[in-house]
Amino acid sequence: MENNTAPKLEKKPVIFSGIQPTSGSFTLGNYLGAVKNWSKLQDSYNCAYSIVNMHAITVRQDPAQLKKNTLSAFALILACGVDPEKSIAFIQSHVKTHAELAWVLNCYTQFGELSRMTQFKDKSAKHADNINAGLFTYPSLMAADILLYQTNLVPVGADQKQHLELARDIALRFNGLYGNVFQVPDGYIPKTAARIMSLADPGKKMSKSDENAKATVFLLDPPDTIIKKFKSAVTDSEALVAYREDKPGINNLMSIYSAVTGASIEEIETQFAGKGYGDFKLAVGEAVVEELRPIQEKHARLLADKAYLESCYRAGAEKALGISQRTLDKVYKKVGFLPY
Ligand code: ATP
Ligand code: LTN
């Protein structure tokens, strides 16, 4: 007999996000803007997180280094709190449906749309000798990543908003032609730390590929390097820890301190009233070092256990394939591919 008193299993909304393994480490911007939130969402959502190595080859990579960086980045998302028992953690190239759906979506994405992407414009200016088709169609692969899992929410930093909008447009277009095939995803962009700026030039976003070593804090930087980078952060000459439009350097440091300690902007202003920038920069550096210490230790432990990492990414790929294949099958049917 059916047990009517048994609670109905509630279907949790789906989260998907990805990060490139372009260095084996992530920047403090990647972490505060995106990855830190990934672990927090694991209990309330069905989450899938991917190391997107196929996106990484849109700019030239050294193959041996890419392989090493991919494993390190995978270990790093686990070290940042992604639990492979709760979430699906996998490496993009292990799950063939991503490339397969990306091809189909390429045929439903317009040249004009891709031409308007600011990341494409920035990256093609930066890599003028290698403006390849993959760099151009990067957003349709990203749309495939997201749409394969019938994703509701995509936690990313503010710089990915335009790509996300395009993924929504592609989903709506496809649904308009063929009925409800894809869930239309929404972005999940944090209120603080959605755009961490370079420490050397607070007018620019903190980026993995900045040539200025002082601009970017990496999660695997040794503590003394982190402190040094914060000490040399570009600020202004007012010596007042206050959040104001004309103080981008201080605003950035305050956002970082707030994201790491949980203190509000007002609390930080009170805490550092009458103190100089030297004290404040040191406090931010020390807070970041403390936040990263357990992550660095866990990353080192995980990297020493390659068999465990492999068992995690294999299990993740298997689960990811199972879910994503269902969406791909539907798509193939809708567009008229002969079943076999
Ligand atoms: P690159 O700078 O080489 O283009 P990236 O640092 O932007 O790379 P990605 O793998 O493209 O790295 O981004 C991973 C995630 O980190 C994305 O969700 C992105 O929005 C977020 N992110 C990247 N930079 C920042 C930043 N400065 N502040 C907040 N979030 C960021
Ligand atoms: N383009 C993203 C990385 C990325 C991604 C995704 C993010 C690839 N596929 C799917 C969210 C969902 C970036 O951060 N540069």
Side-chain angles (χ1 to χ4, degrees):
M1 205 175 81
E2 215 176 306
N3 178 1
N4 288 326
T5 56
K8 264 203 187 138
L9 265 187
E10 204 189 325
K11 205 170 158 274
K12 294 178 189 170
V14 176
I15 292 246
F16 184 94
S17 197
I19 185 160
Q20 300 188 60
T22 19
S23 90
S25 186
F26 304 149
T27 71
L28 190 62
N30 296 148
Y31 174 68
L32 296 178
V35 181
K36 186 175 158 74
N37 295 321
W38 292 5
S39 61
K40 291 190 195 151
L41 299 163
Q42 293 178 113
D43 292 317
S44 321
Y45 298 89
N46 286 326
C47 300
Y49 298 122
S50 183
I51 302 301
V52 292
N53 54 346
M54 288 158 65
H55 279 105
I57 64 164
T58 56
V59 304
R60 197 64 74 226
Q61 303 286 337
D62 173 69
Q65 204 58 46
L66 178 63
K67 198 168 144 189
K68 214 169 140 209
N69 289 345
T70 302
L71 191 66
S72 176
F74 184 77
L76 196 48
I77 62 171
L78 303 193
C80 289
V82 170
D83 177 349
E85 302 290 326
K86 290 184 186 164
S87 297
I88 301 177
F90 69 101
I91 291 160
Q92 189 186 31
S93 64
H94 292 167
V95 184
K96 66 185 177 58
T97 44
H98 289 249
E100 291 169 328
L101 181 61
W103 175 256
V104 176
L105 297 186
N106 266 331
C107 303
Y108 293 81
T109 308
Q110 298 304 304
F111 179 86
E113 290 176 311
L114 293 171
S115 309
R116 282 194 289 277
M117 295 293 117
T118 52
Q119 184 177 298
F120 172 68
K121 290 187 221 168
D122 291 349
K123 295 229 162 155
S124 42
K126 219 171 182 176
H127 306 277
D129 56 338
N130 182 24
I131 307 177
N132 61 75
L135 191 66
F136 189 61
T137 61
Y138 179 114
S140 1
L141 176 59
M142 178 163 162
D145 296 340
I146 296 167
L147 300 180
L148 277 170
Y149 299 89
Q150 305 294 341
T151 300
N152 300 92
L153 283 178
V154 185
V156 282
D159 63 316
Q160 292 301 308
K161 221 171 149 186
Q162 198 185 24
H163 285 162
L164 217 62
E165 282 297 317
L166 182 55
R168 284 174 60 89
D169 289 344
I170 296 171
L172 286 167
R173 179 172 307 144
F174 202 90
N175 288 351
L177 288 165
Y178 303 113
N180 276 344
V181 179
F182 296 126
Q183 170 68 39
V184 180
D186 284 307
Y188 182 99
I189 295 171
K191 284 199 186 74
T192 47
R195 196 171 160 81
I196 298 296
M197 309 309 276
S198 151
L199 296 188
D201 174 0
K204 265 185 10 192
K205 106 170 176 163
M206 184 181 282
S207 159
K208 277 179 198 141
S209 44
D210 204 306
E211 285 115 37
N212 186 342
K214 289 181 178 167
T216 306
V217 172
F218 286 96
L219 299 200
L220 300 177
D221 278 345
D224 55 332
T225 306
I226 296 176
I227 300 284
K228 252 192 232 150
K229 286 179 179 174
F230 277 104
K231 276 189 178 163
S232 69
V234 169
T235 48
D236 54 66
S237 54
E238 196 184 15
L240 176 70
V241 178
Y243 200 95
R244 264 198 349 238
E245 211 175 305
D246 58 340
K247 294 167 77 74
I250 285 297
N251 294 350
N252 190 39
L253 293 178
M254 290 178 84
S255 302
I256 294 172
Y257 193 69
S258 167
V260 168
T261 62
S264 69
I265 295 297
E266 295 74 34
E267 283 163 353
I268 300 171
E269 287 176 347
T270 312
Q271 189 185 342
F272 290 93
K275 300 215 172 107
Y277 285 169
D279 290 344
F280 180 52
K281 287 179 182 178
L282 186 63
V284 182
E286 283 172 346
V288 170
V289 165
E290 285 320 309
E291 169 92 2
L292 299 185
R293 190 186 305 281
I295 295 176
Q296 295 187 347
E297 287 169 1
K298 189 162 180 200
H299 181 258
R301 278 201 305 278
L302 285 165
L303 262 195
D305 191 351
K306 301 264 182 325
Y308 172 71
L309 285 177
E310 186 178 335
S311 72
C312 290
Y313 66 65
R314 277 181 173 276
E318 225 167 87
K319 287 185 243 173
L321 180 65
I323 298 171
S324 58
Q325 189 71 54
R326 288 203 291 271
T327 302
L328 187 73
D329 287 348
K330 237 195 238 176
V331 168
Y332 274 19
K333 198 167 155 194
K334 292 287 186 186
V335 300
F337 287 170
L338 184 70
Y340 113 117

